[in-house]
Amino acid sequence: MATPMTRPFPSFEPVNPPVHGGREVALFAGCPELLGTPFSYGREEEIYGEGEDADVVYRVVDGAVRTHKVLGDGRRQITGFHLPGDLFGFEQGEAHRHSAEALSDTKVLIFRRSAIQRAAARNADVACHLWNMATRGLRHAQDHMLLLGRRSAVERVATFLIDVDERLGGTGTFALPMTRRDIADYLGLTIETVSRTLSQLEEAGTLLRTGGRQVSLRLQRLRRVVED
Amino acid sequence: MATPMTRPFPSFEPVNPPVHGGREVALFAGCPELLGTPFSYGREEEIYGEGEDADVVYRVVDGAVRTHKVLGDGRRQITGFHLPGDLFGFEQGEAHRHSAEALSDTKVLIFRRSAIQRAAARNADVACHLWNMATRGLRHAQDHMLLLGRRSAVERVATFLIDVDERLGGTGTFALPMTRRDIADYLGLTIETVSRTLSQLEEAGTLLRTGGRQVSLRLQRLRRVVED
DNA sequence: CGTGAGATTGACTGTACTCAAATGTGGTGG
DNA sequence: CCACCACATTTGAGTACAGTCAATCTCACG
């Protein structure tokens, strides 16, 4: 476990960009009083489930997390993938209305909601930051609603690949950190459709697959597929 | 225009329940320093568009508002309908990433973002309330993602009807305040599918249509359609 | 080298979409 | 009050895109 220390972010605004291997334990820059407790989860381990008490908020330090909702018959919608730097676990009421699991071995920082609220009351910057965090999430949700409601399978997959690439550094070459099932449940498709669509994109020379999860994107062409 | 006055809400938590004809101008209870400016919009009038400066936040006083995103080719996804009491117009950055229009003649209160942030810094309750507001929006967005990604047409329409009914008083009988196009663009369907689905539900004795927008729901049966 | 989970591919099906026509509704002015 | 109009909604016929079911392939790991 990393020893608690206060290394603030260089800039105020971008909390999102990955901070692989970071050892920050403060929730926000310039807020040394709001410290998080390091914690680890194994691959596929549940972080919290629907209905559980929502008295803490998490920040990913290393690894990746998915949050999702399920229907009674098992249909699942993944609402987001959370990479290093991302916050997740906000909840309006007492209990979680969705679940969270680690995609791979994952390190997080845990912050008590009560402590956050106390800090927000004392420090205007913290309050502002929280507001930004939440509206950032709202924006992502709105984008994703547009994708789920109005985009075709190819567009969904292309959008997804571009997005993951950006969040992983933007080199165009990376290993997808999740299974086809997770991708399908995020995009509102089936694994078969995701698979077929990837094959179709590869056939069109829009990407290259080398081994199971590894992909190389032709970003130009991929962006032309999305066209928004 | 209503004269500014400070009538705080009786309770702290529920800002959402409709306050038809309310004349409150304070954003939150117990926050007389944060006053809004009353403003009106006509039917179908644009409140703000994508790309415009997002320096204010709105609260619906009377009427109804829709917020949406569009793709280049015109495909549209409505991300939410906002009824009296609801806040909308939050944005993470400088500019709006979506648009908002009045469904019918609508009265709103306008609050400057800078004023809100100043108030949040001074008043812990306000900061807490803002946090709640934003996470409330996030929860709705997550529910809607599940609907868009994983639910069938009948389930979407049924869910929608139940939801509108609840927000309009829960009597089971009401006039839909929006067109089929709006419903379709909210549910990720086409107007034809919405229409057919309503006919199908009526045929099954799950609801009654009297005149264009007027409906009477058999809530029991309708809930059985949704089953979650 | 065998095993099993994950991924791909194939054949077929079904739900929701598209295009098109008919019907209903509310508003306006004679 | 009614005729007329524009527009919203419903209904119909045919299609297509993504889903289902099932077989095969790949690859990491013991």
Side-chain angles (χ1 to χ4, degrees), chain A residues 44-199:
Chain A
E44 294 292 304
E45 192 177 345
E46 178 178 87
I47 298 173
Y48 56 80
E50 197 175 334
E52 288 181 20
D53 270 1
D55 46 2
V56 297
V57 168
Y58 304 81
R59 193 168 96 203
V60 182
V61 173
D62 193 42
V65 172
R66 63 166 181 257
T67 49
H68 70 252
K69 292 188 68 96
V70 273
L71 294 173
D73 58 6
R75 282 176 290 176
R76 182 178 71 148
Q77 179 63 46
I78 292 181
T79 52
F81 294 112
H82 308 275
L83 299 181
D86 294 343
L87 258 61
F88 68 95
F90 306 115
E91 208 63 66
Q92 200 259 316
E94 300 286 291
H96 283 293
R97 304 296 265 258
H98 64 272
S99 315
E101 292 119 22
L103 285 180
S104 53
D105 290 345
T106 296
K107 288 189 178 67
V108 301
L109 288 171
I110 301 182
F111 301 87
R112 313 205 118 273
R113 222 160 64 144
S114 56
I116 290 177
Q117 283 172 352
R118 253 181 287 116
R122 270 197 309 272
N123 185 334
D125 282 354
V126 171
C128 177
H129 227 134
L130 284 172
W131 169 264
N132 273 337
M133 248 23 255
T135 43
R136 183 196 305 274
L138 222 36
R139 195 179 69 200
H140 167 264
Q142 284 169 352
D143 290 345
H144 206 54
M145 283 189 253
L146 178 61
L147 179 141
L148 292 171
R150 290 301 180 209
R151 279 193 179 286
S152 70
V154 218
E155 291 175 324
R156 294 185 200 197
V157 172
T159 306
F160 174 71
L161 291 171
I162 292 169
D163 184 49
V164 173
D165 176 53
E166 275 173 10
R167 297 174 70 184
L168 251 37
T171 62
T173 300
F174 58 92
L176 289 160
M178 67 289 281
T179 66
R180 296 289 186 268
R181 167 131 301 286
D182 283 339
I183 298 174
D185 285 349
Y186 179 64
L187 298 179
L189 301 170
T190 59
I191 44 176
E192 292 95 331
T193 298
V194 171
S195 188
R196 265 187 261 274
T197 304
L198 285 169
S199 301

Side-chain angles (χ1 to χ4, degrees), chain A residues 139 142-143 146, chain B residues 50 67-71 75-79 97-99:
Chain A
R139 195 179 69 200
Q142 284 169 352
D143 290 345
L146 178 61
Chain B
E50 197 174 336
T67 49
H68 69 250
K69 292 187 68 93
V70 273
L71 293 173
R75 282 176 290 176
R76 181 177 73 148
Q77 179 64 45
I78 292 180
T79 52
R97 304 297 264 259
H98 64 273
S99 315

